[in-house]
């Protein structure tokens, strides 16, 4: 089903729900929440109203908004709490990226663990992005007293094409690739989010010592991701011992919606983490 | 009539002209003693594209059969499987595609003509088998083109350049990948076995590729795509991205690296400006607004397609097709697709500022543009399909103060090419059977949801 197909049917419950949420979103998306104002509790969005087909073609020309360069990106809109009115500058920049964040479970669990980091989810599907936005709006306003969830945000984008438009060289400390689209057909392997050629772009955005986290329930894809990351001269695999002691790995295993689904179905989860090595001497 | 010349390349001193007409390369040499052009060689790509397709399909069939066989065995082992499930799993073979009625015609262009830096080799790409073709040049022979090798590539090549030492050809394709092919020798890598790995990739169609050298002589590969990106990558360590040049708002169609300004790089495409970059600092040093200069030359050809047109039918879209420069002369020349005008800008070689100094209006639409780097001259090929006896190409030379059309050279070239090709079965064509000459405008992105 196409997104927005039910526009023709104004009586549809889903349509009415989406419209209401959209108004809400436009009003609340970019505002700084005033903790002193006693506002009523906002309900968390309901996932069933945001269903959309599971896949999106990363090669097609989507109607995307992206800055001409990282310098032109207006982060204030995404993290109003971290904007300093006096200097008109952001007080922090994004250092953790969840590529293909889906319904945002990882972002929400990472938020309290990394209060000093800005965390960005990127998702290519419109309705799913809307869901995460609504979820963050609700969480922010319901936790206004503690300024909770101010450090997470989401944007709709195609990370495979436009990641360098958002992040400067060596800006990121962590990148997450959780349960990516497996693209089983051999013909479609270039559409996978981890390829030799794309890894060079991720290495550009990551700083030395930065971490790439991958998790999937598809063994074939796991082996593919490990193979390509191992082949890449700028990445080195981290040990299972390291994985055991890393809190992000624990969160990644249990926080994401896909992770929970796999758990319910008692499926396997394959984790692999890699560290960004320093650039060798230029030849 | 003779088919228009789709692409042409001139060597550094302007003495040899390589032309593409349909699936054929024609070479003409300027004979200094006789003061006229003479035919120097030719090559026709007679590869049948259907062979390549058949080969691919039969490989796919074999792969699928093997896969189905494996599945079938698995199912037979699994006795609990029901009859209906078995039936639904029966698979069909891949078919060799046959174009139906009304299918667009298949054109076997030769594309991306380029000379090696030492001008001893000529490179071209063929549509028929998506191959890079390498020729050695020997002007003592009757036919100067000596086929060295033909390296098929996984996807359609769209641009190429060579490394500083001329040892590798770097081919950028429409799938967004760049492959490095050994320029010398005749060894061919078997692509179907997956033995050719890309050295870098964009997730976007690549439109141009170039090599630049920094102050220490280290090479960087510049790649441009239809998502406004110009990327600089270290070579040969292509896994290290140096930077992106940000500032383009539309697709990039052409890149140009001058020999006189070591930090400068020019680009253009779907934007209404020509960009001048300092690639060392990553800065856009100048964006020459070309709306006003281009406007008088635009016509119906530049109206946006009806599907994307506005209500008053006045939405105009144009694109710069090609930018060229010279070895010493600090000038760049460019043209807009499907127009007659050639624009020439003077460049401040220190800061990269662009200033329009000359507009030369040709009698016909320009199809391609090439420059003789050290001779400070330009060759354009022309779309002569609607005019009887018109020239197929024009030469424009620098006289020390400005550029002017070289009438004598034009006539000599015209006489030479018509004499050589007027009865040639490959070159002859009807006006309605002309290969698509204008493809840059189609790079414009049309957003879906």
């Amino acid at each position: 089903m196409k997104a927005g197909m039910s526009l023709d049917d104004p009586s549809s419950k889903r349509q009415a729900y989406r419209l209401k949420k959209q108004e809400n979103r436009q009003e609340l998306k970019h505002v700084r929440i005033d903790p002193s104002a006693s506002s009523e509790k906002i309900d968390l969005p309901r996932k069933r109203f945001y269903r959309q087909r599971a896949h999106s073609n990363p090669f097609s020309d989507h109607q995307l908004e992206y800055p001409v360069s990282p310098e032109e990106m207006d982060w204030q809109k995404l993290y109003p709490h971290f904007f300093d009115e006096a200097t008109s500058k952001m007080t922090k920049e994004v250092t953790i990226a969840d590529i293909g964040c889906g319904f945002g479970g990882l972002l929400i669990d990472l938020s309290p663990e990394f209060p000093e980091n800005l965390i960005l989810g990127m998702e290519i599907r419109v309705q799913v992005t809307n869901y995460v936005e609504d979820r963050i709006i609700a969480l922010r306003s319901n936790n206004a007293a503690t300024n909770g969830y101010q450090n997470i945000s989401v944007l709709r984008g195609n990370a495979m094409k436009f990641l360098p438009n958002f992040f400067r060289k060596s800006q990121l400390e962590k990148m997450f690739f959780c349960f990516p689209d497996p693209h089983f057909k051999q013909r479609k392997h270039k559409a996978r989010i981890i390829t030799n050629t794309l890894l060079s772009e991720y290495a550009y955005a990551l700083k030395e010592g930065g971490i790439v986290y991958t998790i999937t329930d598809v063994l074939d894809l796991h082996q593919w991701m490990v193979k390509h990351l191992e082949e890449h001269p700028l990445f080195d695999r981290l040990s299972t011992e390291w994985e055991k002691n890393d809190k992000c790995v624990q969160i990644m295993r249990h926080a994401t919606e896909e992770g929970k689904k796999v758990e319910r179905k008692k499926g396997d989860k394959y984790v692999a983490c890699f560290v960004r090595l320093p650039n060798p001497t230029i030849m | 009539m003779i088919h228009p010349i789709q692409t042409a390349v001139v060597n550094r001193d302007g003495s040899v002209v390589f032309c593409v007409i349909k699936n054929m390369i024609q070479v003409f040499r300027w004979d200094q003693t006789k003061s006229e052009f003479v035919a120097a060689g030719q090559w026709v790509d007679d590869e049948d594209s259907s062979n390549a397709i058949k080969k691919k399909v039969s490989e796919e069939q074999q792969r699928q059969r093997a896969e189905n066989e494996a599945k079938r065995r698995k199912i037979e082992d699994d006795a609990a499987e029901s009859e209906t499930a078995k039936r639904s799993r029966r698979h069909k073979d891949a078919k060799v595609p046959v174009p139906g009625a009304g299918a667009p015609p298949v054109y076997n262009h030769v594309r991306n003509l380029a000379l090696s830096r030492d001008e001893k080799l000529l490179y071209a790409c063929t549509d028929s088998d998506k191959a890079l073709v390498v020729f050695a040049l020997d002007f003592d022979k009757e036919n100067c083109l000596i086929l060295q090798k033909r390296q098929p590539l996984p996807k359609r090549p769209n641009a190429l350049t060579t490394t500083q030492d001329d040892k590798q050809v770097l081919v950028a394709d429409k799938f967004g990948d760049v492959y490095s092919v050994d320029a010398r020798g005749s060894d061919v890598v078997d692509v179907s076995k997956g033995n050719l790995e890309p050295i870098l990739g964009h997730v976007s169609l690549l439109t141009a590729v170039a090599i630049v050298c920094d102050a220490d002589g280290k090479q960087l590969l510049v790649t441009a795509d239809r998502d406004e990106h110009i990327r600089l990558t270290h070579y040969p360590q292509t896994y290290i991205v140096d930077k992106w040049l940000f500032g383009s708002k539309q697709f990039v169609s052409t890149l140009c690296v001058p020999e006189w300004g070591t930090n400068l790089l020019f680009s253009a495409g779907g934007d209404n400006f020509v960009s001048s970059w300092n690639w060392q600092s990553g800065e856009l040093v100048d964006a020459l607004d070309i709306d006003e200069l281009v406007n008088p030359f635009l016509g119906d050809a530049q109206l946006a397609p009806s599907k994307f047109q506005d209500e008053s039918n006045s939405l105009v879209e144009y694109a710069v097709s090609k930018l060229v420069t010279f070895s010493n002369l600090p000038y760049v020349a460019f043209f807009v697709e499907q127009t007659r005008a050639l624009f020439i800008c003077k460049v401040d070689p220190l800061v990269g500022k662009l200033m329009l100094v000359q507009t030369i209006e040709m009698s016909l639409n320009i199809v391609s543009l090439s420059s003789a780097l050290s001779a400070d001259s330009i060759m354009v090929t022309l779309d002569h399909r609607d005019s009887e006896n018109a020239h197929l190409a024009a030469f424009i030379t620098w006289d020390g103060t400005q550029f002017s059309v070289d009438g004598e050279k034009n006539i000599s070239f015209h006489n030479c090419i018509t004499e050589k090709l007027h009865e040639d079965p490959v070159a002859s064509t009807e006006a309605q059977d002309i290969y698509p000459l204008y493809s840059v405008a189609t790079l414009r992105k049309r957003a879906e949801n």
Side-chain angles (χ1 to χ4, degrees), chain A residues 58-75:
Chain A
F59 301 121
S60 68
D61 297 340
H62 298 278
Q63 236 157 5
L64 296 173
E65 272 181 43
Y66 51 90
V68 169
S69 70
E71 281 68 39
E72 309 218 347
M73 178 65 194
D74 187 4
W75 293 107

Side-chain angles (χ1 to χ4, degrees), chain B residues 128-316:
Chain B
S128 53
D129 55 351
K130 298 175 189 159
L132 168 74
V133 194
V134 181
F135 301 95
L137 297 172
D138 184 350
F139 291 100
D140 294 332
K141 294 226 163 74
E142 196 188 324
N143 185 354
C144 67
L145 296 176
I146 303 146
L147 183 65
Q148 298 292 99
K149 78 151 136 193
R150 186 173 186 133
Q151 171 66 60
L153 293 157
K155 299 284 169 184
R156 201 177 294 277
N158 203 32
L160 60 82
T161 189
T162 64
T163 54
Q164 286 291 329
D165 59 8
D166 265 338
K167 283 185 181 158
Q168 297 285 319
V169 190
L170 307 171
V171 190
D173 70 24
K174 292 204 174 189
F175 204 42
D177 291 325
V178 177
Y179 292 88
S180 180
V181 178
D182 181 15
R184 294 176 290 197
S186 54
D187 296 342
V188 173
V189 181
D190 189 346
V191 177
S192 64
K193 293 209 174 73
N195 292 340
L196 203 57
E197 285 278 338
I199 58 166
L200 70 87
H202 293 214
V203 182
S204 180
L205 185 153
L206 289 174
T207 54
V209 57
I211 282 265
V212 291
C213 262
D214 68 11
D216 303 326
K218 315 238 156 133
Q219 300 179 80
L220 291 117
L221 187 56
V222 193
T223 38
D225 70 25
R226 103 176 243 276
D227 282 328
E228 313 95 36
H229 287 137
I230 301 173
R231 180 177 137 177
L232 274 89
T233 314
H234 290 283
Y235 184 89
Q237 292 148 306
T238 50
Y239 52 86
I240 309 172
V241 179
D242 176 52
K243 63 169 76 69
W244 274 266
L245 301 180
F246 291 114
S248 310
K249 307 252 165 67
Q250 287 286 342
F251 66 87
V252 181
S253 66
T254 175
L255 288 175
C256 170
V257 182
E259 291 176 10
W260 37 260
T262 44
N263 292 335
L264 293 180
L265 178 99
F266 307 104
S267 76
D271 280 321
N272 58 356
F273 54 88
V274 171
S275 302
S276 170
W277 308 89
N278 180 329
W279 61 263
Q280 292 270 25
S281 66
E283 191 189 351
L284 177 64
V285 288
D286 198 13
L288 177 78
D289 190 333
I290 56 171
D291 248 349
E292 265 178 50
L293 1 162
V294 166
N295 247 322
F297 301 98
L298 302 181
D300 288 351
Q302 280 78 29
L303 283 176
S306 54
K307 203 175 157 191
F308 310 102
Q309 192 49 267
D310 62 7
E311 277 165 18
S312 59
N313 199 39
S314 59
L315 184 61
V316 166

